[in-house]
Amino acid sequence: MAVPAYSVDIRRLEDFSAAELYALLRLRVDVFVVEQACAYPELDGKDAAALHLRLSVDGETAAYARLWQPEGKPPRIGRVLVAPAHRGKRLGDALMQEAIAACGTHFPGMPIALSAQSYLEHFYRSLGFSPTSEEYVEDGIPHIDMIRPATESQP
C-alpha cells in the first residue's frame, strides 16, 4: 500500500491556534490515555520547549510526533502516534522519516533518542535505532530505550 499524500507541519506550541492545539492534545489523550488505558500525566510540561510535527491528510492530523532536547542530552522523538482513522497506510514510516529529518535539521550532528514500546523495537531498528536499555515497564506498558547515531545527513 502506498503512503497517502500528506503535508508536513512543524511548529512550536505558541504557533498553534487554540482550536488546533485542542485538537492535537485531544488526539494525544485519546491515543495514549484512553486507547492504551494509561492513567498518566500526558500534559507533562515538556510541550512548550518542543517542536510538534504533524502529518496531515486532507487537512486532518493523521500522525504526530514531539521533538525535544532535554538539557545536556540527545534530542528525543516522543509521543509518536498515527491517528486511528489513518492506521495501516504506512504513515508511521513516513512520520518517523520526517521526524529523523527534522532532528537532523534542528539538532544537527547529534544522535536521536527515544523510548519505544517494546513491540515496536523491530520497527525502530529498521530506522537505524539500537537498544540502549533492557526492557522496562512504564505506565503499564513494556518499553525499551533506543538511540540512533548521528549521521552526516539524516535520515
Side-chain angles (χ1 to χ4, degrees), residues 4 32 43 51-52 55 60 75-76 106 138 145:
F32 297 123
L43 304 180
L51 293 169
H52 302 272
L55 300 187
E60 178 183 357
R76 298 187 65 82
H106 295 279
E138 183 177 345
D145 291 333

Side-chain angles (χ1 to χ4, degrees):
M1 170 179 273
V3 177
Y6 63 84
S7 61
V8 179
D9 179 24
I10 301 174
R11 298 189 212 177
R12 295 255 177 227
L13 191 68
E14 61 271 11
D15 296 328
F16 288 98
S17 71
E20 289 170 327
L21 184 58
Y22 176 84
L24 188 65
L25 295 176
R26 180 175 178 179
L27 178 61
R28 282 181 22 188
V29 168
D30 286 350
V31 170
F32 297 123
V33 178
V34 178
E35 181 180 306
Q36 295 182 0
C38 292
Y40 76 105
E42 167 54 28
L43 304 180
D44 59 5
K46 297 174 183 155
D47 288 311
L51 293 169
H52 302 272
L53 187 152
R54 297 186 302 168
L55 300 187
S56 298
V57 173
D58 297 327
E60 178 183 357
T61 298
Y64 168 85
R66 178 172 77 177
L67 316 175
W68 66 286
Q69 185 174 14
E71 190 168 330
K73 295 184 180 178
R76 298 187 65 82
I77 300 173
R79 300 301 199 261
V80 176
L81 70 82
V82 175
H86 294 279
R87 292 183 184 151
K89 301 174 185 176
R90 304 201 52 87
L91 284 167
D93 294 318
L95 174 66
M96 284 304 299
Q97 291 295 334
E98 296 289 351
I100 291 166
C103 283
T105 298
H106 295 279
F107 312 106
M110 300 192 75
I112 304 167
L114 55 78
S115 176
Q117 291 186 8
S118 295
Y119 82 96
L120 292 169
E121 179 181 347
H122 179 74
F123 169 70
Y124 289 115
R125 279 182 182 268
S126 75
L127 296 166
F129 289 85
S130 300
T132 59
S133 75
E134 296 295 319
E135 184 176 81
Y136 58 93
V137 176
E138 183 177 345
D139 301 316
I141 298 172
H143 283 75
I144 187 166
D145 291 333
M146 301 184 83
I147 197 154
R148 185 178 196 274
T151 56
E152 292 279 326
S153 62
Q154 295 183 356

